[in-house]
Amino acid sequence: MEDTSGEPLAEGKTKIVYAHPHDTGLVVIRHKDGITAGDGARRNQIAGKGALSGRTTAAVFRLLAREGIPSHYVDSPAPDLMVARRCAMIPLEVVTRRLATGSYLRRNPAASEGERFDPPLVEFFLKDDARHDPLIAVDAIVAQHLATAEEAAAMGQRARAVFLALERAWAAQGVTLVDLKIEFGRDDQGALLLADVIDNDSWRIWPGGERTAMLDKQRYREASVVDASFLASLHDSYAEVAERVERF
Amino acid sequence: MEDTSGEPLAEGKTKIVYAHPHDTGLVVIRHKDGITAGDGARRNQIAGKGALSGRTTAAVFRLLAREGIPSHYVDSPAPDLMVARRCAMIPLEVVTRRLATGSYLRRNPAASEGERFDPPLVEFFLKDDARHDPLIAVDAIVAQHLATAEEAAAMGQRARAVFLALERAWAAQGVTLVDLKIEFGRDDQGALLLADVIDNDSWRIWPGGERTAMLDKQRYREASVVDASFLASLHDSYAEVAERVERF
């Protein structure tokens, strides 16, 4: 069992990052039971969500490794724990979209719900809750030294590759992967590495291509009433997703 | 004198576009006396502004032609009139920035006022007043068929070339060109062409590098009181800019 009793290196809304007790090149990530939406305006606890997120993200990173796409993932010694290579995170959300929905429609009035992008399109957003993670141009990423132009191009290419691999895996189960958010870091050699988590909060998935059948965190964002009954049902969605992703 | 008595092809807040009476490959653009800000929330008339904008934009396009940068500009038969090649406009604002200010700072909290970009950075915005001209990713431009990836790259390169040419011309008069908005169209062969106008509403210019000495439309955007005295002073700024640009 990994020792996560030390001081956290970082803590986010859904995870805590600890230094690895025996290897300075690694970290231990503990997935928390929290779920938030609206940049933190809505917050709840779902007992067991951390373990479900951990199982989902581990299974996703193992699939990607089989597909030849490396990430920071090393091991998952317990459902809610992930050992990963230590990265300096790049403060960007890299979003790949196959179908137009959500914020894309609000920003692009000529687009219609469910419009298909082929190839899937990639957008970069600056991680900044106070400004609601604004879209950022590649030139601005470079000007602010968040990433070089070459890194930005590589992130775009890798984001598409990750999306296509997960889209195929979901399609084999009759599920449409609508969009996907990932993050990158740099390892101790400065090399770009897929990092953070990829779990049921990272994507929109529509079984049978039906928006109303959605299994992902969007259910929580859209819920008009978040009571115990809804949270139990949401837990069931997260459990179903973890089980399905483990069959990838 | 051009006949602009026909039906307009298009009318915007600051100009009217007419078919050319003798040549279907040309249009006649009449610059209006209106000035607006806040996506039309603030509106005024400044007698003579149309002629000053026409003189400015004609002098800018003539400078660019001397610098080897083609545009839709053909002739200016009167101060408020421009004959131009007919284009299908691309609904994007292409913004080049040398110094960080304005909306860039609101979207990028880590940037500081007056921070210098070298090379100048380019951002694309979708022309959509109702949504306040949102930033748009190159992938989204392509997905919505607003422009091809090659055209987007060419617009970025040309925007930088236009900026550098105007920056040099202004620097020779001790004025700092801070940022610049331009637009593109396609001619009847489908070739990308610098179009629209480039006038004192298109840039921020700071004499002596001093923000408080600004001569451009930003004065109007920031004015707390827009009365007759302010509008007279604003007219004087536009007149000074037209005279200075004619010395380019």
Side-chain angles (χ1 to χ4, degrees), chain A residues 91 126-128 131 134 136-137 139-146, chain B residues 97-117 121 123:
Chain A
L126 183 65
K127 282 180 74 77
D128 180 359
R131 281 165 185 79
I136 184 168
D139 267 19
I141 291 170
V142 174
Q144 292 181 47
H145 309 293
L146 303 178
Chain B
R97 303 179 189 277
R98 175 65 87 185
L99 302 180
T101 191
S103 79
Y104 184 86
L105 293 180
R106 289 190 291 278
R107 286 180 284 108
N108 295 283
S112 51
E113 173 87 40
E115 181 181 333
R116 182 179 163 86
F117 304 123
L121 72 82
E123 295 175 321

Side-chain angles (χ1 to χ4, degrees), chain A residues 15-159:
Chain A
K15 57 189 179 293
I16 310 178
V17 182
Y18 299 92
H20 190 282
H22 310 307
D23 187 334
T24 57
L26 300 178
V27 293
V28 180
I29 296 172
R30 181 185 290 280
H31 300 274
K32 294 160 63 175
D33 284 346
I35 184 168
T36 77
D39 300 316
R42 175 174 280 188
R43 288 172 183 270
N44 287 94
Q45 294 287 315
I46 301 176
K49 176 178 180 287
L52 295 169
S53 292
R55 286 170 52 195
T56 302
T57 211
V60 164
F61 283 134
R62 285 193 294 258
L63 167 77
L64 294 176
R66 293 197 301 276
E67 297 269 353
I69 301 170
S71 74
H72 71 154
Y73 177 79
V74 173
D75 189 20
S76 177
D80 66 336
L81 291 180
M82 173 168 66
V83 178
R85 285 169 64 190
R86 192 169 189 155
C87 284
M89 293 302 295
I90 297 173
L92 295 171
E93 300 199 338
V94 186
V95 174
T96 308
R97 303 179 189 277
R98 175 64 87 187
L99 302 180
T101 190
S103 79
Y104 185 85
L105 293 179
R106 289 191 290 278
R107 285 179 286 109
N108 295 284
S112 51
E113 174 87 40
E115 181 182 334
R116 182 179 163 85
F117 305 122
D118 191 11
L121 73 81
V122 177
E123 295 176 320
F124 295 92
F125 297 85
L126 183 65
K127 282 180 74 77
D128 180 359
D129 275 359
R131 281 165 185 79
H132 308 291
D133 299 334
L135 186 69
I136 184 168
V138 169
D139 267 19
I141 291 170
V142 174
Q144 292 181 47
H145 309 293
L146 303 178
T148 66
E150 293 70 26
E151 285 175 327
M155 285 190 279
Q157 287 166 0
R158 277 211 239 169

Side-chain angles (χ1 to χ4, degrees), chain B residues 78-99:
Chain B
D80 66 336
L81 291 180
M82 173 168 67
V83 178
R85 285 168 63 190
R86 193 168 187 154
C87 285
M89 292 302 295
I90 297 173
L92 295 171
E93 300 199 338
V94 186
V95 174
T96 308
R97 303 179 189 277
R98 175 65 87 185
L99 302 180

Side-chain angles (χ1 to χ4, degrees), chain B residues 17 31 71 89 104 137 148 163 177 184 192 199-200 208 216 231:
Chain B
V17 182
H31 301 275
S71 73
M89 292 302 295
Y104 184 86
T148 65
F163 186 92
L177 180 62
F184 291 87
L192 196 68
D199 64 16
N200 197 35
D216 59 85
L231 290 172

